[in-house]
Amino acid sequence: MKKILVIGAAGQIGTELVPFLRKLYGESNVVASDIRDDVPPVLKDGPYEIIDCLDGKRLAEVAKAHGIDTVYNLAALLSAVAEAKPQLAWKVNMGGLLNILEVARELDFAVFTPSSIGAFGPSSPKQDTPQDTIQRPTSIYGVTKVAGELLCDYYFARFGVDTRGVRYPGIISNTAKPGGGTTDYAVHIYYDALQHKHYTCNLQPGTYLDMMYMPDATRAAVEMMEADPDRLVHRNCFNVAAMSFAPEHICAEICKHVHGFEMGYSIDPVRQAIADSWPDRMDDSAAREEWGWQHEYDLPSMTKDMLTTLKGRL
Ligand code: AKB
């Protein structure tokens, strides 16, 4: 049985990944952790520890105490907030990762670290962005994501640490709201549609981005960590895709369910510049070939599920 530690568990992905992992592997086998104690109560349905990813000593103590063999490293600043605090973004995204890899080398555990569509830049092909292509991101978030992919590859090649990861699109979910990303609008729009019948979008019409519904995102992480290592040519940077749309398309889909819903625009120049530098649509055939990745949700099925779930909750 696996013994898993999730670092940075109180964010958008962690609050859904932790219950998903506990269902699969057993409540007591999944330790959730974050830098603070006031976290969503669901994280405390099983073991919970306070860990600052910049404190390697504490991380090693917790990993030893629980006999951890797999770490999901979710501690990171997202793209828009990273642009406001580039030095802190480097410190957390790279410093945290380096600490985790060092402890993994010492204690021999596997590490999942998400990369992102942010690892691409304006000189990467925008359509069907290949698995292996030019990566010259122009945001600090993207710089940390490319460097993180390379660092994880290095720790595998040099020290044999079982490092793995996927390049996530924007993730849409209905439990914890995302904090400080460029793709956040595609979450907030559902809340505002139900609560106000109006949404002000901070990206321009025609801004295509890859997106994925949370149930696909959590399953991708687990399937990646369970994949047969002998089949993996790439390890730390699999493109995973599910749907690609622009703001007007998600608006039109919501309009089918929420009578009278309207969307206006007030463009955030920082987010717009980041979005313009990212792919419109990634090619994820390597993930499909090497470990059988398949998405389940598209824009219509996700929208139906998001609205039904949120209606019950709001
Ligand atoms: C962000 O917008 O920063 C993230 C991402 C795509 O990595 N959601």
Side-chain angles (χ1 to χ4, degrees):
M1 185 49 91
K2 277 193 183 305
K3 278 279 184 183
I4 297 171
L5 173 65
V6 181
I7 297 175
Q12 185 198 11
I13 299 180
T15 46
E16 299 206 39
L17 182 64
V18 167
F20 184 65
L21 290 168
R22 284 181 175 153
K23 218 182 216 167
L24 288 175
Y25 300 110
E27 216 154 69
S28 59
N29 293 318
V30 179
V31 182
S33 76
D34 208 291
I35 196 168
R36 54 183 215 268
D37 193 41
D38 61 327
V39 293
V42 71
L43 299 182
K44 295 191 173 174
D45 286 349
Y48 182 78
E49 299 277 2
I50 295 181
I51 298 177
D52 176 352
C53 66
L54 298 178
D55 183 350
K57 191 164 163 277
R58 166 83 183 138
L59 167 61
E61 275 165 17
V62 172
K64 265 189 211 154
H66 289 274
I68 295 301
D69 56 39
T70 306
V71 163
Y72 287 80
N73 165 30
L74 306 178
L77 265 65
L78 292 184
S79 55
V81 78
E83 220 45 57
K85 301 173 186 174
Q87 295 81 5
L88 182 66
W90 181 266
K91 197 171 156 190
V92 173
N93 296 12
M94 293 311 299
L97 177 60
L98 184 62
N99 269 339
I100 292 164
L101 291 173
E102 268 301 293
V103 180
R105 177 164 81 90
E106 188 194 324
L107 300 183
D108 192 24
F109 53 70
V111 181
F112 173 87
T113 305
S115 185
S116 157
I117 51 175
F120 296 109
S123 50
S124 311
K126 261 184 121 47
Q127 299 297 335
D128 296 321
T129 312
Q131 175 65 45
D132 300 307
T133 188
I134 189 160
Q135 286 179 270
R136 306 284 296 172
T138 44
S139 68
I140 186 66
Y141 177 69
V143 170
T144 67
K145 286 299 166 188
V146 177
E149 289 179 4
L150 293 172
L151 191 64
C152 289
D153 279 349
Y154 179 79
Y155 265 72
F156 171 66
R158 180 80 206 295
F159 303 118
V161 176
D162 185 1
T163 53
R164 305 186 188 195
V166 297
R167 290 183 186 132
Y168 274 134
I171 296 176
I172 295 162
S173 64
N174 51 50
T175 305
K177 287 190 186 169
T182 300
T183 57
D184 295 3
Y185 90 87
V187 177
H188 298 306
I189 191 172
Y190 287 104
Y191 285 81
D192 281 15
L194 288 174
Q195 289 176 317
H196 310 296
K197 292 205 172 196
H198 187 272
Y199 180 66
T200 306
C201 184
N202 55 20
L203 294 183
Q204 276 165 8
T207 308
Y208 278 83
L209 289 167
D210 276 299
M211 301 279 180
M212 182 179 285
Y213 197 28
M214 184 63 92
D216 280 337
T218 49
R219 192 170 47 76
V222 172
E223 287 180 6
M224 169 81 281
M225 292 313 281
E226 292 284 1
D228 175 358
D230 295 339
R231 286 182 62 198
L232 299 182
V233 180
H234 305 85
R235 293 189 73 89
N236 293 295
C237 53
F238 282 99
N239 290 358
V240 285
M243 61 190 101
S244 166
F245 56 77
E248 63 272 28
H249 303 125
I250 189 169
C251 172
E253 199 54 45
I254 292 172
C255 280
K256 292 181 190 166
H257 304 270
V258 182
H259 185 68
F261 174 59
E262 285 181 343
M263 184 167 78
Y265 293 92
S266 170
I267 308 309
D268 171 352
V270 173
R271 283 184 167 84
Q272 187 64 48
I274 294 173
D276 288 343
S277 76
W278 287 357
D280 285 2
R281 180 190 299 272
M282 288 188 294
D283 170 10
D284 64 355
S285 49
R288 289 176 192 264
E289 278 153 30
E290 290 176 40
W291 49 279
W293 161 246
Q294 276 188 314
H295 70 279
E296 193 187 325
Y297 286 91
D298 58 10
L299 179 57
S301 54
M302 174 180 75
T303 299
K304 224 170 140 195
D305 198 68
M306 274 296 282
L307 291 173
T308 312
T309 311
L310 281 179
K311 247 183 223 163
R313 202 172 296 146
L314 295 175

